[in-house]
Amino acid sequence: MHRRSVLTLAIAAVAGLSACTTESENTDATSATAGTSSPAPATGAPQQTYQVTTQELQLSRGTDRPLPTKIWQPVGDGQFPMIYFSHGLTSQPDDYADLLNAWAQAGFVIAAPKYPHTWNQATVYNADDVVNQPADGQFVITEVLKALPAAINTEKIAAAGHSAGAITTVGLFTSSRDERLKAGVLIAGRQMPSPAPFSGTPAPLLFVQGKLDETVTYEEAYGAYNQVTWPKAFLEIPKGTHLPHRDQPAVVASTTTDFWRWTLYGDEAAKAKMPADASAGGVAGLTEAF
């Protein structure tokens, strides 16, 4: 796009809030986590914590859209659900390593690409390229399933993202609906620049929002939330900023993991735990629940 949208200009103006980078991991190394190698559960949700390995797949959609994709994978036999994750502007997957590793430890494969024009080392940076990222997401999901057929349960795929990555995730449930997705988490997210209705098979969605966010405002996030007619919940962090997963990492990790266990493993006990985990410590809470 040659004309910057009001939304992307607003986000780009404070892109530094999304950038807060961490040191990248060795993509061939095993993450230092608790637990031992275990099989994926045949039925029900895992009851153990998995060790996690990481690798990077060198993917590209055509010749001009490289999409190197970081994989966090539980160490175990059998197939696990997959969560596709989209980073924010001027960011990268490793910036979310703590949260993504927590999900992987709980029994989920995570696939997270670096988007060609919005990650923090993009040769040509263009915030408006977020409109092309849902198509990137569809491509990466397909390629990861081809690359790791023995590791992923193709019937249990979800998507999540932060900031512009959450906007990308909204795209995967609206104008670029990917019917493979069974659930979604939107951290500091709102509608795409050209809004479209949520469409296709209903999928539970969890919004995570800091009330002090000045980049994607509380009102914008709740506006997107109100457009969802599917099962949904809104995790509000009253003193949270544009980085709620950094402001309250334990609450966000436990609540989102409950959500994934419920939506992708059918764990009703995890669903029942969500309100208590969301309000632990009195720093957040579900203003609305499923």
Side-chain angles (χ1 to χ4, degrees):
M1 294 176 64
H2 297 291
R3 181 176 60 85
R4 276 174 140 26
S5 67
V6 173
L7 168 67
T8 51
L9 276 173
I11 295 178
V14 288
L17 289 174
S18 300
C20 303
T21 59
T22 59
E23 184 178 354
S24 298
E25 300 172 2
N26 181 336
T27 57
D28 295 321
T30 300
S31 299
T33 65
T36 58
S37 177
S38 302
T43 58
Q47 299 303 312
Q48 69 274 0
T49 299
Y50 289 91
Q51 291 184 337
V52 176
T53 61
T54 62
Q55 62 175 307
E56 188 168 274
L57 303 180
Q58 299 303 317
L59 305 179
S60 183
R61 184 162 74 94
T63 58
D64 61 344
R65 294 195 71 81
L67 292 158
T69 299
K70 182 78 170 279
I71 305 293
W72 281 259
Q73 185 174 338
V75 177
D77 299 325
Q79 296 178 319
F80 296 89
M82 184 179 88
I83 301 166
Y84 177 77
F85 185 83
S86 297
H87 64 74
L89 296 180
T90 70
S91 191
Q92 62 169 330
D94 279 336
D95 295 347
Y96 307 88
D98 288 347
L99 179 61
L100 303 186
N101 192 65
W103 292 347
Q105 286 181 301
F108 302 91
V109 174
I110 315 301
K114 297 171 183 173
Y115 288 113
H117 297 297
T118 62
W119 79 293
N120 65 354
Q121 295 182 37
T123 303
V124 178
Y125 176 77
N126 178 11
D128 280 333
D129 194 58
V130 67
V131 300
N132 296 312
Q133 292 181 177
D136 291 336
Q138 293 174 327
F139 170 81
V140 170
I141 291 170
T142 298
E143 294 304 305
V144 171
L145 294 180
K146 290 178 183 177
L148 302 171
I152 298 169
N153 185 332
T154 59
E155 299 300 314
K156 297 181 178 181
I157 300 174
H162 168 246
S163 190
I167 296 171
T168 299
T169 305
V170 169
L172 289 167
F173 287 101
T174 57
S175 56
S176 299
R177 179 67 163 105
D178 191 322
E179 284 287 347
R180 294 172 294 187
L181 300 179
K182 308 303 182 186
V185 168
L186 303 112
I187 304 172
R190 56 150 292 170
Q191 264 281 12
M192 291 288 288
S194 298
F198 289 85
S199 64
T201 305
L205 298 179
L206 173 62
F207 286 69
V208 179
Q209 184 67 27
K211 203 162 186 180
L212 303 182
D213 191 341
E214 296 181 353
T215 304
V216 175
T217 67
Y218 181 85
E219 291 74 20
E220 288 173 326
Y222 228 104
Y225 176 83
N226 284 335
Q227 294 175 29
V228 179
T229 59
W230 309 330
K232 60 184 179 180
F234 196 95
L235 176 61
E236 177 183 306
I237 302 175
K239 295 184 179 180
T241 65
H242 190 55
L243 301 170
H245 55 292
R246 296 279 184 85
D247 298 326
Q248 296 298 334
V251 167
V252 172
S254 62
T255 306
T256 53
T257 299
D258 288 341
F259 175 78
W260 295 133
R261 286 174 63 91
W262 167 52
T263 56
L264 298 179
Y265 279 113
D267 185 349
E268 292 294 331
K271 179 184 179 183
K273 283 180 56 186
M274 283 184 64
D277 284 346
S279 60
V283 296
L286 291 174
T287 59
E288 295 186 46
F290 299 101

